[in-house]
Amino acid sequence: NAGVTQTPKFQVLKTGQSMTLQCAQDMNHEYMSWYRQDPGMGLRLIHYSVGAGITDQGEVPNGYNVSRSTTEDFPLRLLSAAPSQTSVYFCASIRQGNTEAFFGQGTRLTVV
Amino acid sequence: AQRVTQPEKLLSVFKGAPVELKCNYSYSGSPELFWYVQYSRQRLQLLLRHISRESIKGFTADLNKGETSFHLKKPFAQEEDSAMYYCALLTGGGNKLTFGTGTQLKVEL
């Protein structure tokens, strides 16, 4: 199993550009989520999903969209990138009934 | 709303010294608490969970509901323990993790 895979690992965007951060897991986990990691602020939940076709907002959802068309994939879309979205983004998955979260390796995004 | 507080951004100890990383939580329900660790250039991974009451890499953590705390302890720090440690609370029926702000542990020789 590859676990949770995120692409790309690094990205530089100009203000106003849009892009999609990819997240895929091959463990058949029901729950998936996106976090951003900022110095001094820990990990904050952006969006999460409890299954295909179901998504919900987390703590800091503004400026981001998600969809969950399959169990495996949970892409995060930045609609119009802003410098405040410069961060490291982590995707995670959890098997229903279990409690351990598995994380991707992260995507370091810089918006200039 | 739930909240996890880690008061120390940085904790620096000497090798062989005891370590205690503090974590306090606020949650109206029955808490499920975890410690996650991120070593340099690696992804976050689970270190331990309160429900297992286990010792991993010499670390232990006891849930104290009276003090709403879940401090991480190790009697003798090792150089390889240097990492970022996050305390986390699982809610939402098991699908939402709320993280603290993290504590960077630095073990000096």
Side-chain angles (χ1 to χ4, degrees), chain A residues 14-82:
Chain A
K14 293 183 178 179
T15 297
Q17 285 185 315
S18 62
M19 79 159 295
T20 299
L21 279 62
Q22 301 292 344
C23 175
Q25 53 94 6
D26 60 359
M27 299 173 284
N28 205 32
H29 286 177
E30 293 82 359
Y31 304 149
M32 296 186 74
S33 51
W34 276 101
Y35 296 86
R36 58 178 291 172
Q37 182 185 43
D38 301 293
M41 305 195 76
L43 281 83
R44 292 179 293 169
L45 182 64
I46 305 172
H47 285 285
Y48 66 101
S49 168
V50 299
I54 306 170
T55 63
D56 207 344
Q57 296 181 350
E59 182 184 354
V60 288
N62 292 341
Y64 307 95
N65 272 357
V66 292
S67 60
R68 185 97 181 269
S69 56
T70 66
T71 299
E72 295 78 17
D73 299 300
F74 192 44
L76 178 73
R77 281 181 285 276
L78 279 70
L79 309 173
S80 177

Short mmCIF file of all heavy atoms in Angstrom, two decimals, chain A residues 14-82:
data_model
loop_
_atom_site.label_atom_id
_atom_site.label_comp_id
_atom_site.label_asym_id
_atom_site.label_seq_id
_atom_site.Cartn_x
_atom_site.Cartn_y
_atom_site.Cartn_z
N LYS A 14 1.00 32.44 -8.50
CA LYS A 14 0.83 33.89 -8.45
C LYS A 14 -0.54 34.20 -7.88
O LYS A 14 -1.50 33.42 -8.03
CB LYS A 14 0.96 34.47 -9.85
CG LYS A 14 2.37 34.35 -10.43
CD LYS A 14 2.45 35.02 -11.80
CE LYS A 14 3.87 34.93 -12.33
NZ LYS A 14 3.99 35.54 -13.69
N THR A 15 -0.64 35.33 -7.23
CA THR A 15 -1.92 35.76 -6.67
C THR A 15 -2.99 35.74 -7.76
O THR A 15 -2.79 36.26 -8.86
CB THR A 15 -1.80 37.17 -6.08
OG1 THR A 15 -0.86 37.13 -4.99
CG2 THR A 15 -3.14 37.65 -5.54
N GLY A 16 -4.12 35.13 -7.42
CA GLY A 16 -5.23 35.07 -8.36
C GLY A 16 -5.31 33.79 -9.17
O GLY A 16 -6.36 33.48 -9.73
N GLN A 17 -4.23 33.04 -9.21
CA GLN A 17 -4.25 31.78 -9.94
C GLN A 17 -5.05 30.73 -9.16
O GLN A 17 -5.20 30.82 -7.94
CB GLN A 17 -2.83 31.26 -10.18
CG GLN A 17 -2.08 32.02 -11.25
CD GLN A 17 -0.72 31.39 -11.54
OE1 GLN A 17 0.03 31.03 -10.63
NE2 GLN A 17 -0.39 31.26 -12.82
N SER A 18 -5.52 29.75 -9.89
CA SER A 18 -6.22 28.64 -9.25
C SER A 18 -5.41 27.36 -9.45
O SER A 18 -4.59 27.27 -10.38
CB SER A 18 -7.62 28.46 -9.84
OG SER A 18 -7.53 28.15 -11.22
N MET A 19 -5.61 26.42 -8.57
CA MET A 19 -4.95 25.13 -8.73
C MET A 19 -5.64 24.10 -7.85
O MET A 19 -6.44 24.45 -6.96
CB MET A 19 -3.47 25.19 -8.38
CG MET A 19 -3.16 25.16 -6.91
SD MET A 19 -1.46 24.62 -6.56
CE MET A 19 -1.47 22.93 -7.13
N THR A 20 -5.31 22.84 -8.11
CA THR A 20 -5.86 21.73 -7.35
C THR A 20 -4.74 20.93 -6.73
O THR A 20 -3.80 20.53 -7.43
CB THR A 20 -6.72 20.82 -8.24
OG1 THR A 20 -7.81 21.57 -8.77
CG2 THR A 20 -7.27 19.65 -7.43
N LEU A 21 -4.84 20.72 -5.43
CA LEU A 21 -3.94 19.83 -4.72
C LEU A 21 -4.58 18.45 -4.69
O LEU A 21 -5.74 18.31 -4.27
CB LEU A 21 -3.68 20.31 -3.30
CG LEU A 21 -2.66 21.42 -3.06
CD1 LEU A 21 -3.09 22.71 -3.76
CD2 LEU A 21 -2.47 21.67 -1.57
N GLN A 22 -3.81 17.46 -5.12
CA GLN A 22 -4.36 16.12 -5.20
C GLN A 22 -4.05 15.32 -3.95
O GLN A 22 -2.99 15.46 -3.35
CB GLN A 22 -3.80 15.39 -6.42
CG GLN A 22 -4.08 16.07 -7.76
CD GLN A 22 -5.55 16.04 -8.14
OE1 GLN A 22 -6.35 15.28 -7.58
NE2 GLN A 22 -5.93 16.89 -9.09
N CYS A 23 -5.00 14.47 -3.57
CA CYS A 23 -4.81 13.55 -2.45
C CYS A 23 -5.49 12.23 -2.80
O CYS A 23 -6.67 12.22 -3.19
CB CYS A 23 -5.40 14.10 -1.16
SG CYS A 23 -5.32 12.95 0.23
N ALA A 24 -4.76 11.15 -2.67
CA ALA A 24 -5.30 9.83 -2.95
C ALA A 24 -4.85 8.85 -1.88
O ALA A 24 -3.72 8.92 -1.41
CB ALA A 24 -4.85 9.34 -4.32
N GLN A 25 -5.77 7.96 -1.50
CA GLN A 25 -5.41 6.92 -0.53
C GLN A 25 -5.90 5.57 -1.05
O GLN A 25 -6.96 5.48 -1.66
CB GLN A 25 -5.98 7.23 0.87
CG GLN A 25 -7.45 7.52 0.93
CD GLN A 25 -8.32 6.34 1.26
OE1 GLN A 25 -7.84 5.24 1.56
NE2 GLN A 25 -9.63 6.54 1.22
N ASP A 26 -5.10 4.55 -0.78
CA ASP A 26 -5.42 3.22 -1.29
C ASP A 26 -5.74 2.24 -0.16
O ASP A 26 -5.57 1.03 -0.32
CB ASP A 26 -4.27 2.69 -2.14
CG ASP A 26 -2.96 2.57 -1.37
OD1 ASP A 26 -2.94 2.91 -0.16
OD2 ASP A 26 -1.96 2.15 -1.97
N MET A 27 -6.22 2.77 0.96
CA MET A 27 -6.50 1.94 2.11
C MET A 27 -8.01 1.76 2.32
O MET A 27 -8.43 1.19 3.33
CB MET A 27 -5.88 2.57 3.37
CG MET A 27 -4.36 2.69 3.26
SD MET A 27 -3.61 3.60 4.63
CE MET A 27 -4.03 5.27 4.16
N ASN A 28 -8.80 2.29 1.39
CA ASN A 28 -10.26 2.19 1.47
C ASN A 28 -10.82 2.84 2.74
O ASN A 28 -11.82 2.38 3.30
CB ASN A 28 -10.71 0.72 1.40
CG ASN A 28 -12.13 0.60 0.87
OD1 ASN A 28 -12.58 1.40 0.06
ND2 ASN A 28 -12.84 -0.41 1.34
N HIS A 29 -10.16 3.94 3.16
CA HIS A 29 -10.63 4.65 4.34
C HIS A 29 -11.83 5.52 3.99
O HIS A 29 -11.87 6.17 2.94
CB HIS A 29 -9.52 5.54 4.90
CG HIS A 29 -8.45 4.76 5.60
ND1 HIS A 29 -7.31 5.37 6.12
CD2 HIS A 29 -8.33 3.45 5.87
CE1 HIS A 29 -6.56 4.45 6.68
NE2 HIS A 29 -7.14 3.27 6.53
N GLU A 30 -12.80 5.55 4.92
CA GLU A 30 -14.00 6.33 4.67
C GLU A 30 -13.76 7.83 4.87
O GLU A 30 -14.28 8.65 4.15
CB GLU A 30 -15.13 5.88 5.60
CG GLU A 30 -15.64 4.46 5.33
CD GLU A 30 -14.78 3.38 5.98
OE1 GLU A 30 -13.75 3.70 6.63
OE2 GLU A 30 -15.14 2.19 5.83
N TYR A 31 -12.99 8.18 5.91
CA TYR A 31 -12.84 9.57 6.28
C TYR A 31 -11.57 10.15 5.67
O TYR A 31 -10.50 9.55 5.76
CB TYR A 31 -12.74 9.72 7.80
CG TYR A 31 -13.90 9.12 8.57
CD1 TYR A 31 -13.70 8.59 9.85
CD2 TYR A 31 -15.18 9.09 8.05
CE1 TYR A 31 -14.75 8.04 10.58
CE2 TYR A 31 -16.23 8.55 8.76
CZ TYR A 31 -16.01 8.02 10.02
OH TYR A 31 -17.05 7.49 10.74
N MET A 32 -11.72 11.34 5.09
CA MET A 32 -10.56 12.06 4.58
C MET A 32 -10.69 13.53 4.96
O MET A 32 -11.80 14.04 5.12
CB MET A 32 -10.43 11.90 3.06
CG MET A 32 -10.16 10.47 2.63
SD MET A 32 -9.84 10.29 0.86
CE MET A 32 -8.17 10.96 0.73
N SER A 33 -9.55 14.20 5.09
CA SER A 33 -9.57 15.59 5.51
C SER A 33 -8.34 16.33 5.00
O SER A 33 -7.33 15.70 4.65
CB SER A 33 -9.65 15.69 7.04
OG SER A 33 -8.64 14.90 7.64
N TRP A 34 -8.46 17.64 4.95
CA TRP A 34 -7.37 18.52 4.57
C TRP A 34 -7.06 19.48 5.72
O TRP A 34 -7.98 20.06 6.33
CB TRP A 34 -7.73 19.35 3.34
CG TRP A 34 -7.52 18.66 2.04
CD1 TRP A 34 -8.46 18.06 1.25
CD2 TRP A 34 -6.28 18.50 1.36
NE1 TRP A 34 -7.87 17.54 0.12
CE2 TRP A 34 -6.53 17.79 0.17
CE3 TRP A 34 -4.95 18.88 1.64
CZ2 TRP A 34 -5.53 17.46 -0.74
CZ3 TRP A 34 -3.97 18.56 0.73
CH2 TRP A 34 -4.26 17.86 -0.45
N TYR A 35 -5.76 19.64 5.99
CA TYR A 35 -5.29 20.56 7.01
C TYR A 35 -4.27 21.49 6.39
O TYR A 35 -3.58 21.14 5.44
CB TYR A 35 -4.61 19.81 8.16
CG TYR A 35 -5.51 18.89 8.93
CD1 TYR A 35 -5.73 17.59 8.50
CD2 TYR A 35 -6.14 19.31 10.09
CE1 TYR A 35 -6.56 16.73 9.21
CE2 TYR A 35 -6.96 18.46 10.81
CZ TYR A 35 -7.17 17.18 10.35
OH TYR A 35 -7.98 16.34 11.06
N ARG A 36 -4.15 22.66 6.99
CA ARG A 36 -3.02 23.52 6.68
C ARG A 36 -2.20 23.70 7.94
O ARG A 36 -2.74 23.79 9.06
CB ARG A 36 -3.45 24.86 6.10
CG ARG A 36 -4.37 25.70 6.94
CD ARG A 36 -4.68 27.04 6.25
NE ARG A 36 -3.49 27.91 6.21
CZ ARG A 36 -3.42 29.05 5.55
NH1 ARG A 36 -4.47 29.48 4.85
NH2 ARG A 36 -2.32 29.78 5.57
N GLN A 37 -0.89 23.74 7.74
CA GLN A 37 0.04 23.84 8.86
C GLN A 37 0.79 25.16 8.75
O GLN A 37 1.50 25.38 7.76
CB GLN A 37 1.03 22.67 8.84
CG GLN A 37 2.01 22.66 9.99
CD GLN A 37 3.04 21.53 9.84
OE1 GLN A 37 3.57 21.30 8.75
NE2 GLN A 37 3.34 20.83 10.92
N ASP A 38 0.63 26.00 9.74
CA ASP A 38 1.29 27.29 9.76
C ASP A 38 2.06 27.46 11.07
O ASP A 38 1.61 26.99 12.12
CB ASP A 38 0.26 28.42 9.64
CG ASP A 38 -0.54 28.31 8.36
OD1 ASP A 38 0.07 28.51 7.28
OD2 ASP A 38 -1.74 28.01 8.41
N PRO A 39 3.21 28.10 11.01
CA PRO A 39 4.03 28.26 12.24
C PRO A 39 3.24 28.91 13.36
O PRO A 39 2.58 29.93 13.18
CB PRO A 39 5.16 29.18 11.76
CG PRO A 39 5.24 28.96 10.28
CD PRO A 39 3.84 28.71 9.83
N GLY A 40 3.31 28.30 14.53
CA GLY A 40 2.63 28.85 15.70
C GLY A 40 1.14 28.60 15.74
O GLY A 40 0.48 28.97 16.72
N MET A 41 0.60 27.96 14.69
CA MET A 41 -0.84 27.75 14.66
C MET A 41 -1.20 26.28 14.55
O MET A 41 -2.39 25.93 14.53
CB MET A 41 -1.46 28.53 13.50
CG MET A 41 -1.13 30.01 13.54
SD MET A 41 -2.14 31.01 12.48
CE MET A 41 -3.64 31.07 13.40
N GLY A 42 -0.24 25.43 14.46
CA GLY A 42 -0.51 24.00 14.39
C GLY A 42 -1.19 23.62 13.09
O GLY A 42 -1.01 24.27 12.06
N LEU A 43 -1.98 22.57 13.14
CA LEU A 43 -2.74 22.12 11.98
C LEU A 43 -4.19 22.54 12.14
O LEU A 43 -4.81 22.27 13.17
CB LEU A 43 -2.67 20.60 11.84
CG LEU A 43 -1.41 20.02 11.22
CD1 LEU A 43 -0.31 19.88 12.25
CD2 LEU A 43 -1.70 18.67 10.58
N ARG A 44 -4.71 23.18 11.12
CA ARG A 44 -6.10 23.61 11.16
C ARG A 44 -6.87 22.92 10.05
O ARG A 44 -6.42 22.86 8.92
CB ARG A 44 -6.19 25.14 11.03
CG ARG A 44 -5.63 25.88 12.24
CD ARG A 44 -5.72 27.38 12.04
NE ARG A 44 -4.85 27.83 10.98
CZ ARG A 44 -4.88 29.06 10.45
NH1 ARG A 44 -5.78 29.93 10.88
NH2 ARG A 44 -4.03 29.39 9.50
N LEU A 45 -8.07 22.45 10.40
CA LEU A 45 -8.90 21.69 9.48
C LEU A 45 -9.56 22.61 8.46
O LEU A 45 -10.23 23.58 8.82
CB LEU A 45 -9.95 20.92 10.28
CG LEU A 45 -10.90 20.02 9.50
CD1 LEU A 45 -10.13 18.87 8.83
CD2 LEU A 45 -11.97 19.46 10.43
N ILE A 46 -9.39 22.27 7.19
CA ILE A 46 -9.98 23.08 6.11
C ILE A 46 -11.33 22.51 5.69
O ILE A 46 -12.37 23.17 5.77
CB ILE A 46 -9.04 23.14 4.90
CG1 ILE A 46 -7.66 23.65 5.30
CG2 ILE A 46 -9.63 24.03 3.80
CD1 ILE A 46 -6.62 23.53 4.19
N HIS A 47 -11.31 21.28 5.21
CA HIS A 47 -12.52 20.55 4.83
C HIS A 47 -12.32 19.08 5.17
O HIS A 47 -11.19 18.60 5.26
CB HIS A 47 -12.78 20.66 3.32
CG HIS A 47 -13.31 21.97 2.86
ND1 HIS A 47 -14.61 22.38 3.06
CD2 HIS A 47 -12.70 22.98 2.18
CE1 HIS A 47 -14.79 23.58 2.52
NE2 HIS A 47 -13.64 23.96 1.99
N TYR A 48 -13.44 18.39 5.31
CA TYR A 48 -13.36 16.96 5.55
C TYR A 48 -14.52 16.24 4.88
O TYR A 48 -15.50 16.86 4.45
CB TYR A 48 -13.30 16.65 7.06
CG TYR A 48 -14.56 17.01 7.83
CD1 TYR A 48 -15.48 16.03 8.17
CD2 TYR A 48 -14.78 18.32 8.24
CE1 TYR A 48 -16.62 16.35 8.89
CE2 TYR A 48 -15.92 18.66 8.96
CZ TYR A 48 -16.83 17.67 9.29
OH TYR A 48 -17.96 18.00 10.00
N SER A 49 -14.37 14.91 4.80
CA SER A 49 -15.38 14.10 4.13
C SER A 49 -15.53 12.78 4.89
O SER A 49 -14.54 12.17 5.28
CB SER A 49 -14.95 13.82 2.69
OG SER A 49 -15.76 12.83 2.10
N VAL A 50 -16.78 12.36 5.06
CA VAL A 50 -17.03 11.10 5.75
C VAL A 50 -17.33 9.97 4.77
O VAL A 50 -17.58 8.84 5.19
CB VAL A 50 -18.15 11.23 6.79
CG1 VAL A 50 -17.77 12.24 7.86
CG2 VAL A 50 -19.47 11.60 6.13
N GLY A 51 -17.32 10.30 3.49
CA GLY A 51 -17.55 9.26 2.49
C GLY A 51 -17.76 9.91 1.13
O GLY A 51 -17.91 11.13 1.02
N ALA A 52 -17.77 9.09 0.11
CA ALA A 52 -17.96 9.58 -1.25
C ALA A 52 -19.26 10.36 -1.34
O ALA A 52 -20.31 9.91 -0.86
CB ALA A 52 -17.96 8.42 -2.24
N GLY A 53 -19.17 11.55 -1.92
CA GLY A 53 -20.34 12.40 -2.11
C GLY A 53 -20.69 13.27 -0.93
O GLY A 53 -21.63 14.08 -1.00
N ILE A 54 -19.93 13.17 0.16
CA ILE A 54 -20.24 13.92 1.38
C ILE A 54 -19.01 14.71 1.82
O ILE A 54 -17.95 14.13 2.07
CB ILE A 54 -20.66 12.98 2.52
CG1 ILE A 54 -21.80 12.08 2.10
CG2 ILE A 54 -21.05 13.80 3.76
CD1 ILE A 54 -22.11 10.97 3.09
N THR A 55 -19.17 16.04 1.88
CA THR A 55 -18.09 16.89 2.37
C THR A 55 -18.65 17.91 3.34
O THR A 55 -19.85 18.21 3.33
CB THR A 55 -17.36 17.62 1.23
OG1 THR A 55 -18.28 18.51 0.58
CG2 THR A 55 -16.80 16.65 0.21
N ASP A 56 -17.78 18.46 4.15
CA ASP A 56 -18.21 19.48 5.10
C ASP A 56 -17.04 20.40 5.40
O ASP A 56 -15.87 20.06 5.15
CB ASP A 56 -18.72 18.84 6.39
CG ASP A 56 -19.74 19.73 7.10
OD1 ASP A 56 -19.83 20.94 6.77
OD2 ASP A 56 -20.44 19.22 7.99
N GLN A 57 -17.38 21.58 5.92
CA GLN A 57 -16.37 22.59 6.20
C GLN A 57 -15.73 22.35 7.55
O GLN A 57 -16.38 21.94 8.50
CB GLN A 57 -17.01 23.98 6.17
CG GLN A 57 -17.54 24.37 4.82
CD GLN A 57 -18.14 25.77 4.83
OE1 GLN A 57 -18.32 26.36 5.89
NE2 GLN A 57 -18.45 26.29 3.66
N GLY A 58 -14.45 22.69 7.60
CA GLY A 58 -13.74 22.65 8.86
C GLY A 58 -13.62 24.03 9.46
O GLY A 58 -14.51 24.88 9.32
N GLU A 59 -12.48 24.27 10.07
CA GLU A 59 -12.25 25.52 10.79
C GLU A 59 -11.95 26.70 9.88
O GLU A 59 -12.34 27.83 10.14
CB GLU A 59 -11.09 25.29 11.76
CG GLU A 59 -10.73 26.47 12.64
CD GLU A 59 -9.49 26.17 13.49
OE1 GLU A 59 -9.00 25.02 13.47
OE2 GLU A 59 -9.02 27.10 14.18
N VAL A 60 -11.23 26.43 8.78
CA VAL A 60 -10.77 27.51 7.90
C VAL A 60 -11.08 27.20 6.43
O VAL A 60 -10.19 27.05 5.61
CB VAL A 60 -9.26 27.79 8.10
CG1 VAL A 60 -8.99 28.47 9.41
CG2 VAL A 60 -8.45 26.50 7.99
N PRO A 61 -12.35 27.15 6.04
CA PRO A 61 -12.71 26.69 4.69
C PRO A 61 -12.67 27.77 3.60
O PRO A 61 -12.67 27.42 2.40
CB PRO A 61 -14.15 26.22 4.89
CG PRO A 61 -14.68 27.14 5.95
CD PRO A 61 -13.52 27.39 6.89
N ASN A 62 -12.63 29.04 3.99
CA ASN A 62 -12.77 30.11 3.00
C ASN A 62 -11.62 30.10 2.00
O ASN A 62 -10.45 30.08 2.35
CB ASN A 62 -12.84 31.47 3.69
CG ASN A 62 -14.13 31.63 4.48
OD1 ASN A 62 -15.11 30.90 4.24
ND2 ASN A 62 -14.16 32.55 5.40
N GLY A 63 -12.00 30.16 0.72
CA GLY A 63 -11.01 30.17 -0.35
C GLY A 63 -10.67 28.80 -0.89
O GLY A 63 -9.84 28.69 -1.81
N TYR A 64 -11.30 27.77 -0.34
CA TYR A 64 -11.02 26.40 -0.74
C TYR A 64 -12.32 25.65 -1.07
O TYR A 64 -13.32 25.86 -0.41
CB TYR A 64 -10.32 25.62 0.38
CG TYR A 64 -9.08 26.26 0.94
CD1 TYR A 64 -9.16 27.06 2.08
CD2 TYR A 64 -7.83 26.06 0.36
CE1 TYR A 64 -8.02 27.65 2.62
CE2 TYR A 64 -6.69 26.64 0.91
CZ TYR A 64 -6.81 27.44 2.04
OH TYR A 64 -5.67 28.02 2.57
N ASN A 65 -12.23 24.79 -2.06
CA ASN A 65 -13.33 23.88 -2.37
C ASN A 65 -12.83 22.45 -2.39
O ASN A 65 -11.65 22.20 -2.71
CB ASN A 65 -13.91 24.19 -3.76
CG ASN A 65 -15.01 25.24 -3.68
OD1 ASN A 65 -15.38 25.71 -2.61
ND2 ASN A 65 -15.52 25.62 -4.83
N VAL A 66 -13.71 21.51 -2.07
CA VAL A 66 -13.37 20.10 -2.16
C VAL A 66 -14.52 19.34 -2.79
O VAL A 66 -15.66 19.83 -2.85
CB VAL A 66 -13.08 19.47 -0.77
CG1 VAL A 66 -11.81 20.03 -0.16
CG2 VAL A 66 -14.26 19.66 0.17
N SER A 67 -14.21 18.14 -3.24
CA SER A 67 -15.22 17.21 -3.71
C SER A 67 -14.74 15.80 -3.39
O SER A 67 -13.54 15.57 -3.21
CB SER A 67 -15.45 17.37 -5.21
OG SER A 67 -14.26 17.13 -5.93
N ARG A 68 -15.65 14.87 -3.33
CA ARG A 68 -15.28 13.47 -3.03
C ARG A 68 -16.14 12.58 -3.91
O ARG A 68 -17.17 12.06 -3.51
CB ARG A 68 -15.53 13.18 -1.55
CG ARG A 68 -15.07 11.78 -1.13
CD ARG A 68 -13.72 11.81 -0.49
NE ARG A 68 -13.28 10.48 -0.11
CZ ARG A 68 -13.51 9.93 1.10
NH1 ARG A 68 -14.23 10.61 2.00
NH2 ARG A 68 -13.05 8.73 1.37
N SER A 69 -15.69 12.42 -5.14
CA SER A 69 -16.45 11.61 -6.09
C SER A 69 -16.16 10.13 -5.93
O SER A 69 -16.98 9.28 -6.30
CB SER A 69 -16.17 12.05 -7.53
OG SER A 69 -14.78 12.00 -7.78
N THR A 70 -15.02 9.81 -5.38
CA THR A 70 -14.67 8.40 -5.12
C THR A 70 -14.14 8.28 -3.69
O THR A 70 -13.75 9.28 -3.08
CB THR A 70 -13.59 7.89 -6.08
OG1 THR A 70 -12.36 8.60 -5.82
CG2 THR A 70 -13.99 8.09 -7.54
N THR A 71 -14.09 7.07 -3.18
CA THR A 71 -13.52 6.85 -1.85
C THR A 71 -12.05 7.21 -1.81
O THR A 71 -11.54 7.69 -0.81
CB THR A 71 -13.70 5.38 -1.45
OG1 THR A 71 -15.09 5.06 -1.41
CG2 THR A 71 -13.11 5.11 -0.06
N GLU A 72 -11.35 6.98 -2.92
CA GLU A 72 -9.90 7.12 -2.94
C GLU A 72 -9.40 8.55 -3.01
O GLU A 72 -8.33 8.87 -2.50
CB GLU A 72 -9.31 6.34 -4.13
CG GLU A 72 -9.50 4.84 -4.07
CD GLU A 72 -10.90 4.40 -4.46
OE1 GLU A 72 -11.63 5.20 -5.09
OE2 GLU A 72 -11.28 3.27 -4.12
N ASP A 73 -10.13 9.44 -3.68
CA ASP A 73 -9.59 10.75 -4.01
C ASP A 73 -10.32 11.88 -3.29
O ASP A 73 -11.55 11.87 -3.17
CB ASP A 73 -9.67 10.99 -5.52
CG ASP A 73 -8.87 9.97 -6.29
OD1 ASP A 73 -7.65 9.89 -6.06
OD2 ASP A 73 -9.48 9.23 -7.10
N PHE A 74 -9.55 12.88 -2.88
CA PHE A 74 -10.13 14.01 -2.17
C PHE A 74 -9.33 15.27 -2.54
O PHE A 74 -8.50 15.75 -1.78
CB PHE A 74 -10.08 13.76 -0.67
CG PHE A 74 -10.89 14.73 0.16
CD1 PHE A 74 -12.16 15.11 -0.22
CD2 PHE A 74 -10.36 15.25 1.34
CE1 PHE A 74 -12.91 15.99 0.55
CE2 PHE A 74 -11.09 16.13 2.12
CZ PHE A 74 -12.37 16.50 1.73
N PRO A 75 -9.55 15.83 -3.72
CA PRO A 75 -8.79 17.00 -4.16
C PRO A 75 -9.22 18.28 -3.46
O PRO A 75 -10.40 18.46 -3.12
CB PRO A 75 -9.09 17.06 -5.66
CG PRO A 75 -10.43 16.40 -5.80
CD PRO A 75 -10.47 15.33 -4.75
N LEU A 76 -8.26 19.16 -3.27
CA LEU A 76 -8.50 20.47 -2.66
C LEU A 76 -8.24 21.54 -3.71
O LEU A 76 -7.15 21.61 -4.27
CB LEU A 76 -7.57 20.69 -1.47
CG LEU A 76 -7.67 22.03 -0.75
CD1 LEU A 76 -8.96 22.12 0.06
CD2 LEU A 76 -6.46 22.25 0.17
N ARG A 77 -9.23 22.37 -3.97
CA ARG A 77 -9.09 23.41 -4.98
C ARG A 77 -8.97 24.78 -4.35
O ARG A 77 -9.79 25.15 -3.49
CB ARG A 77 -10.29 23.37 -5.93
CG ARG A 77 -10.21 22.29 -6.98
CD ARG A 77 -11.41 22.33 -7.90
NE ARG A 77 -12.59 21.79 -7.23
CZ ARG A 77 -12.87 20.50 -7.17
NH1 ARG A 77 -12.07 19.61 -7.72
NH2 ARG A 77 -13.96 20.09 -6.55
N LEU A 78 -7.95 25.51 -4.82
CA LEU A 78 -7.82 26.91 -4.46
C LEU A 78 -8.42 27.71 -5.60
O LEU A 78 -7.99 27.61 -6.75
CB LEU A 78 -6.35 27.30 -4.27
CG LEU A 78 -5.72 26.94 -2.92
CD1 LEU A 78 -5.53 25.45 -2.78
CD2 LEU A 78 -4.41 27.68 -2.74
N LEU A 79 -9.42 28.49 -5.31
CA LEU A 79 -10.18 29.15 -6.36
C LEU A 79 -9.45 30.36 -6.93
O LEU A 79 -9.41 30.56 -8.14
CB LEU A 79 -11.54 29.58 -5.78
CG LEU A 79 -12.29 28.45 -5.06
CD1 LEU A 79 -13.54 29.00 -4.38
CD2 LEU A 79 -12.65 27.34 -6.03
N SER A 80 -8.88 31.17 -6.06
CA SER A 80 -8.12 32.36 -6.47
C SER A 80 -7.07 32.58 -5.39
O SER A 80 -7.35 33.16 -4.34
CB SER A 80 -9.06 33.57 -6.59
OG SER A 80 -8.33 34.74 -6.91
N ALA A 81 -5.88 32.10 -5.66
CA ALA A 81 -4.85 32.04 -4.63
C ALA A 81 -4.50 33.42 -4.07
O ALA A 81 -4.42 34.42 -4.82
CB ALA A 81 -3.60 31.37 -5.17
N ALA A 82 -4.28 33.46 -2.76
CA ALA A 82 -3.89 34.69 -2.07
C ALA A 82 -2.64 34.40 -1.24
O ALA A 82 -2.42 33.26 -0.82
CB ALA A 82 -5.01 35.16 -1.16
#
